[in-house]
Amino acid sequence: MIQTERALQKVLEWGRSLTGFADEHAVEAVRGGQYILQRIHPSLRETSARTGRDAQDETLIVAFYRELALLFWLDDCNDLGLIAPEQLAAVEQALGQGVPCALPGFEGCGVLRASLAALAYDRRDYAQLLDDTRCYCAALRAGHAQAAEAQRWSYAEYLHNAIDSIAYTNVFCCLSLLWGLEMATLRARPAFRKVLRLISTIGRLQNDLHGHDKDISAGDGDNAAILLQQRYPAMPVEEFLNDELAGHARMLHRVMAEERFPAPWGPLIEAMSAIPAQYYQTSTSRYRSDDPLASPR
């Protein structure tokens, strides 16, 4: 697999063509991307006989890391206002349609989409990635706007929107696009769609529980724990959300035990269940709420 420093340099070189792109976006993308690929590497080697896609292909790996970095950057464009609203609107349109951005300073958007289009093992995955990106951007925008409204969402409304803003489907779709994981075909199976929703819900609840204190200090209300606390002050919010998290994890385990999904979906779902803990332990600038220098998210 490509060495960490070399991968990081390649992501940074691409990221410099995006206004507001920071080293942190590349660092977090490579860290998380490496963790995922290491966890599924044996399974990717199994699929290579069918697809001809090498699990250690540097071009594919760097493209995956760049897509992850893009997701981190888009998240911060919404949360931290890295770019102007009209710039963000143009970026979202370009990424969702797979065309170059109409504004200067965002050339990396078109470069990445063109590279993924050219690398796609199955063109259906590329079309789905564009759709997933539109959903991700819309969820980020809606969550940010709703957090500032006097009339807050219900917990159900929040969760419905928030599971798209965790971007797990983007991650899965990009992996499928690059290594031929048959996600377009699997999406026709109700059990697989249920898995996608459950793992995304788990990721969102893990994120909100971990980021509760930091989001309060930053004045960010786009968090399930904060929303519930505001609506029901006497409610044991963390206990409730931990019960929710455990219940979703049990449901996910049952579906994965009952269904047989091709490699590497078993190890991949396990990796995505565990990756938040990896980030919270290692990403001091982004996820560690006990770090006094951590930037708000």
Side-chain angles (χ1 to χ4, degrees):
M1 191 174 291
I2 182 173
Q3 293 297 311
T4 301
E5 284 306 314
R6 178 173 169 78
L8 187 57
Q9 241 353 89
K10 286 184 171 290
V11 177
L12 286 169
E13 288 169 4
W14 162 79
R16 291 190 186 104
S17 65
L18 295 175
T19 301
F21 190 88
D23 288 1
E24 176 192 318
H25 301 134
V27 170
E28 300 297 354
V30 172
R31 177 182 288 124
Q34 281 183 331
Y35 176 77
I36 293 169
L37 292 179
Q38 286 168 359
R39 290 285 299 266
I40 68 173
H41 182 76
S43 298
L44 284 183
R45 291 182 63 185
E46 290 178 27
T47 67
S48 65
R50 171 180 59 83
T51 63
R53 296 289 173 99
D54 186 351
Q56 300 192 73
D57 187 310
E58 180 175 305
T59 300
L60 302 181
I61 292 170
V62 170
F64 177 52
Y65 292 168
R66 286 175 175 173
E67 181 68 16
L68 295 184
L70 177 78
L71 296 173
F72 282 117
W73 174 71
L74 283 171
D75 187 28
D76 285 351
C77 284
N78 277 272
D79 286 354
L80 306 181
L82 299 181
I83 60 178
E86 61 272 15
Q87 292 176 316
L88 181 56
V91 164
E92 290 176 351
Q93 182 177 19
L95 291 170
Q97 300 299 325
V99 298
C101 184
L103 299 179
F106 303 99
E107 291 78 10
C109 298
V111 169
L112 182 57
R113 284 292 171 264
S115 70
L116 291 175
L119 291 169
Y121 182 83
D122 185 333
R123 289 290 300 182
R124 293 177 298 170
D125 279 333
Y126 180 68
Q128 186 63 55
L129 183 67
L130 298 182
D131 185 55
D132 289 341
T133 302
R134 291 193 293 271
C135 289
Y136 175 59
C137 291
L140 289 176
R141 201 180 327 110
H144 190 264
Q146 185 62 33
E149 293 289 331
Q151 181 62 40
R152 303 298 302 281
W153 276 334
S154 68
Y155 171 70
E157 289 169 314
Y158 167 81
L159 202 57
H160 178 76
N161 182 74
I163 60 174
D164 285 332
S165 71
I166 201 68
Y168 280 15
T169 54
N170 295 67
V171 176
F172 296 143
C173 193
C174 187
L175 286 167
S176 182
L177 178 155
L178 293 169
W179 279 281
L181 307 187
E182 303 182 290
M183 189 171 178
T185 300
L186 288 170
R187 281 181 189 260
R189 294 170 59 174
F192 185 78
R193 295 196 300 272
K194 186 174 183 179
V195 164
L196 293 182
R197 185 168 184 84
L198 285 169
I199 190 62
S200 296
T201 304
I202 288 168
R204 171 47 58 196
L205 293 176
Q206 289 171 326
N207 181 282
D208 286 5
L209 279 164
H210 179 80
H212 181 202
D213 292 341
K214 184 187 287 188
D215 287 343
I216 288 177
S217 64
D220 183 2
D222 192 21
N223 179 302
I226 295 174
L227 181 148
L228 288 170
Q229 222 160 32
Q230 290 176 340
R231 293 178 73 98
Y232 310 104
M235 182 180 186
V237 167
E238 291 198 14
E239 182 180 346
F240 170 77
L241 290 178
N242 275 308
D243 282 347
E244 287 277 284
L245 184 55
H248 282 91
R250 288 192 296 270
M251 288 190 286
L252 177 64
H253 179 75
R254 285 196 292 269
V255 177
M256 295 300 293
E258 292 166 1
E259 296 289 327
R260 294 184 63 85
F261 299 116
W265 287 100
L268 179 53
I269 295 300
E270 291 176 4
M272 294 304 287
S273 295
I275 198 170
Q278 295 294 317
Y279 270 127
Y280 303 152
Q281 291 170 12
T282 60
S283 303
T284 57
S285 66
R286 190 176 188 90
Y287 293 106
R288 289 282 292 277
S289 58
D290 60 343
D291 181 359
L293 301 179
S295 55
R297 288 297 180 276

